[in-house]
């Protein structure tokens, strides 16, 4: 069974397991247990001796959304933050300091990418990790190194959702901080708001 982050609840967790699939010519998608996410990200970072970036996506708070009726919004948005020009060491320190919060929180998406090669790794909701690359062969044995095997059809939490069995994603606080504190906490690291876009 797949161990989800603390900010997630689903009705049929027994349907999920650690596995990955090659989604298309430029991406690999995997279910990764919460206890392995940081290791998987460290592995990705260690592969690249080039300038890296950190990306953090946070849902816009309700008070900033346009209401079309009391408590009803037409569309939701997210704020997209970056820290550019990171070294491997800086990315690993970010993970060490904030990994527990980031991987257990049910609101954010985060990841790391390469300024030169363009490769990226992202943790999406419900423990789905996606790697994007123009040369996917670099990742032929990547997930196997973490005892995560390839399947032809990956079953993610999204496949278990229905009107009767929706998923639940919640904010997770760690040491008195939430992901919404990170843009302020990481100001000295050079984090900036790049855009606010529709979900």
């Amino acid at each position: 069974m797949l161990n989800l982050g603390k900010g997630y609840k689903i009705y049929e967790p027994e349907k999920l397991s650690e596995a990955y699939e090659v989604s298309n010519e430029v991406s690999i998608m995997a279910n990764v247990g919460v206890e392995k996410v940081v290791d998987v990200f460290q592995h990705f970072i260690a592969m690249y001796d080039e300038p890296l970036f950190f990306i953090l996506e946070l849902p816009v708070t309700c008070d900033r959304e346009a209401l079309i009726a009391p408590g009803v919004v037409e569309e939701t948005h997210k704020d997209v933050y970056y820290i550019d020009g990171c070294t491997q060491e800086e990315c690993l320190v970010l993970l060490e300091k904030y990994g527990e919060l980031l991987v257990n929180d049910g609101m954010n998406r985060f990841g790391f990418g390469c300024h030169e090669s363009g490769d990226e790794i992202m943790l999406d909701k419900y423990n789905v990790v996606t790697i994007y690359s123009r040369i996917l062969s670099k990742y032929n044995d990547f997930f196997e190194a973490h005892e995560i095997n390839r399947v032809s059809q990956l079953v993610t939490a999204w496949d278990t959702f229905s009107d009767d069995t929706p998923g639940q994603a919640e904010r997770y606080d760690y040491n008195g901080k939430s992901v919404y504190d990170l843009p302020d906490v990481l100001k000295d690291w050079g984090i900036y708001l790049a855009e606010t876009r529709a979900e």
Side-chain angles (χ1 to χ4, degrees):
M1 194 167 78
L2 179 70
N3 292 324
L4 295 172
K6 293 174 183 172
Y8 299 115
K9 291 184 181 70
I10 66 171
Y11 279 80
E12 299 173 297
E14 68 279 358
K15 288 189 172 181
L16 304 182
S17 60
E18 287 192 324
Y20 77 93
E21 71 172 26
V22 178
S23 308
N24 52 49
E25 293 179 357
V26 294
S27 68
I28 300 172
M29 188 167 61
N31 284 337
V32 179
V34 67
E35 69 281 358
K36 291 184 182 178
V37 172
V38 169
D39 289 343
V40 166
F41 274 58
Q42 288 171 336
H43 181 178
F44 177 90
I45 291 164
M47 291 173 64
Y48 292 98
D49 187 16
E50 64 173 272
L52 303 167
F53 62 84
F54 171 71
I55 180 172
L56 174 65
E57 298 181 1
L58 298 175
V60 166
T61 53
C62 292
D63 59 307
R64 290 176 49 210
E65 294 285 18
L67 300 180
I68 57 172
V72 180
V73 295
E74 186 170 4
E75 64 179 359
T76 58
H77 297 81
K78 61 185 172 185
D79 288 333
V80 183
Y81 296 88
Y82 286 95
I83 303 175
D84 291 328
C86 298
T87 64
Q88 283 179 328
E89 183 180 2
E90 286 170 331
C91 291
L92 294 172
V93 169
L94 266 173
L95 269 179
E96 183 182 340
K97 285 189 169 187
Y98 306 109
E100 170 75 14
L101 173 59
L102 288 164
V103 303
N104 280 292
D105 176 73
M107 306 303 292
N108 84 99
R109 291 180 74 234
F110 84 98
F112 295 89
C114 308
H115 283 295
E116 293 169 11
S117 66
D119 287 16
E120 289 185 26
I121 187 169
M122 290 292 296
L123 176 64
D124 206 337
K125 292 184 183 296
Y126 301 99
N127 289 71
V128 175
V129 171
T130 306
I131 291 176
Y132 303 92
S133 176
R134 291 188 295 266
I135 310 173
L136 278 186
S137 58
K138 289 187 280 189
Y139 301 98
N140 280 349
D141 301 316
F142 181 88
F143 285 108
E144 276 87 354
H146 302 276
E147 299 180 344
I148 301 171
N149 296 318
R150 183 173 179 173
V151 293
S152 57
Q153 182 80 40
L154 182 68
V155 177
T156 70
W158 303 97
D159 298 311
T160 72
F161 298 162
S162 70
D163 289 342
D164 296 325
T165 61
Q168 189 175 333
E170 300 176 330
R171 197 180 88 178
Y172 170 73
D173 290 359
Y174 180 68
N175 286 342
K177 301 283 186 194
S178 83
V179 288
Y180 285 97
D181 294 309
L182 290 181
D184 190 54
V185 169
L186 295 174
K187 273 184 180 172
D188 290 346
W189 288 68
I191 197 167
Y192 64 94
L193 177 62
E195 63 175 324
T196 300
R197 62 176 181 239
E199 289 273 24

